[in-house]
Amino acid sequence: MEYLKLFGGLALLIVSGNFLVNSATDIARRLKISSLVIGLTIVAFGTSAPELLVSAEAALSGHPEIALGNVLGSNIANIGFIAGLTAILLPFFVTKKIIKLDIKVMILFAVLFTFFAYDGEFNRIEGGIVFLLLIAYTILLLWMSKKSNEEAKFEDPRNNLWLNILIFISSLAGLAFGSDFMVDGASTIATNLGVSERVISVTLVAFGTSVPELATSIMAAIRKENDIAIGNVVGSNIFNILFVIGGSALITPIENFDFTAFSFDFYWMIIFTAILALTVIPFERIAKKIKDEKTYSILTRFEGFSMIAAYIVYVILLLN
């Protein structure tokens, strides 16, 4: 029964997350927002919704290890597995703005997240701080988009506005039920098998809530929406910290967890964040091959394989 809850919740998260992203993107098309801003905000919010609901539910039900591990594991999987696999399947270009602003912001917030968690709790004041940072970051993105007069690169909306709103709300309900089932099943299985909730949360639960990001990045790469492909990964990692942890801490403090036990995962999250930053550095030999002035670098198949290899090393060390 617990396995049914776990995998049933996972399936519901995947389906609901997919519908949420599609409806949110369709709504954003009507607002004529650039694809990069959509990837960093609307799509990132949609694909981070499972993490928020899982972490909030875990914190409310007294499982801070799952709440924290879900975000850590998801951020690691977003870079090591999702960006890596997407690059292997379809290498994609990275714009100058992503490298000059958003990846630096992602690194900053990863370090801030580690600093706040060092004392073994994430209280409402800290949650409020990071949530305000989320609002400020989102406003900055919208202001920069308007200032540069970027035009949306998406085709016309497929559905009418009210249908998209209905799908969006229904998807949120599906995510709520799915997260409840998944947390309940994962915590019970961990107890029965003698496996720590930390290990379950940073692997199985984190991967499950990251599936929407995987599907979104791959589909974006196939459609040549490079800004969505990389923006989804970077934006999701930022939203996981500011929106998921901040929102969960505002709902109920995430406390009484052992930072020492999670220090391994925190350090690896920062390592993977640095890996992504290094892989998109515009080396001169690559930059010369790129004619588009807005494009700064490319995520190659070799770099994708390197990310996957690093993720496998992380999982092996984690399980040992």
Side-chain angles (χ1 to χ4, degrees):
M1 185 62 183
E2 302 307 327
Y3 284 97
L4 182 61
K5 286 185 178 179
L6 177 65
F7 291 107
L10 173 59
L12 191 53
L13 283 174
I14 294 171
V15 173
S16 300
N18 182 56
F19 277 110
L20 187 144
V21 170
N22 289 338
S23 60
T25 303
D26 224 29
I27 292 171
R29 288 171 183 165
R30 291 188 176 275
L31 302 179
K32 303 300 181 183
I33 300 174
S34 71
S35 58
L36 178 57
V37 173
I38 290 175
L40 288 166
T41 56
I42 301 296
V43 175
F45 163 77
T47 56
S48 291
E51 283 91 340
L52 172 65
L53 293 170
V54 167
S55 290
E57 171 65 23
L60 286 169
S61 58
H63 299 285
E65 290 83 3
I66 292 181
L68 191 64
N70 174 41
V71 169
L72 288 168
S74 180
N75 277 20
I76 292 171
N78 282 346
I79 297 175
F81 184 77
I82 294 171
L85 182 60
T86 303
I88 290 172
L89 296 176
L90 283 165
F92 55 90
F93 294 110
V94 182
T95 58
K96 185 182 296 186
K97 179 185 173 298
I98 280 280
I99 299 171
K100 288 197 168 184
L101 174 65
D102 304 297
I103 287 182
K104 292 177 182 177
V105 169
M106 181 178 63
I107 295 173
L108 174 64
F109 290 148
V111 174
L112 181 65
F113 181 27
T114 304
F115 175 75
F116 277 161
Y118 190 76
D119 60 356
E121 71 171 352
F122 216 93
N123 56 48
R124 283 194 172 93
I125 294 177
E126 293 167 337
I129 290 173
V130 299
F131 205 79
L132 287 175
L133 288 173
L134 170 64
I135 295 173
Y137 173 67
T138 304
I139 291 174
L140 175 63
L141 287 178
L142 295 174
W143 176 78
M144 291 180 67
S145 176
K146 182 178 180 180
K147 184 179 178 181
S148 60
N149 294 320
E150 294 176 322
E151 296 181 357
K153 299 178 182 179
F154 291 106
E155 63 271 18
D156 293 333
R158 291 166 294 181
N159 300 317
N160 66 60
L161 179 62
W162 292 109
L163 178 58
N164 277 317
I165 292 175
L166 178 62
I167 294 174
F168 186 86
I169 295 174
S170 300
S171 299
L172 286 177
L175 290 172
F177 284 110
S179 64
D180 187 24
F181 292 149
M182 194 168 184
V183 169
D184 187 28
S187 59
T188 303
I189 291 171
T191 302
N192 293 340
L193 297 178
V195 179
S196 70
E197 289 187 343
R198 166 183 162 258
V199 173
I200 291 291
S201 63
V202 299
T203 53
L204 187 59
V205 175
F207 179 78
T209 56
S210 293
V211 170
E213 283 94 334
L214 176 62
T216 300
S217 288
I218 291 177
M219 289 305 299
I222 292 174
R223 296 172 182 173
K224 305 300 181 183
E225 292 285 356
N226 297 312
D227 285 339
I228 291 288
I230 186 65
N232 174 46
V233 171
V234 174
S236 290
N237 276 25
I238 293 173
F239 268 61
N240 281 347
I241 296 172
L242 303 184
F243 179 59
V244 177
I245 290 296
S248 297
L250 284 175
I251 295 171
T252 181
I254 303 172
E255 51 192 4
N256 299 324
F257 61 85
D258 183 8
F259 177 81
T260 304
F262 281 98
S263 60
F264 175 82
D265 309 295
F266 272 103
Y267 298 147
W268 271 91
M269 177 187 67
I270 294 175
I271 289 172
F272 272 99
T273 303
I275 288 175
L276 180 60
L278 289 173
T279 55
V280 296
I281 289 178
F283 294 109
E284 187 176 357
R285 64 180 181 80
I286 295 177
K288 285 182 178 179
K289 297 179 181 179
I290 300 172
K291 297 180 180 179
D292 185 357
E293 293 182 358
K294 293 183 178 180
T295 300
Y296 217 48
S297 184
I298 184 173
L299 205 59
T300 65
R301 283 193 172 90
F302 174 77
E303 291 165 339
F305 277 114
S306 300
M307 289 178 177
I308 292 289
Y311 184 70
I312 292 173
V313 170
Y314 163 74
V315 173
I316 291 174
L317 292 175
L318 175 68
L319 297 178
N320 289 335

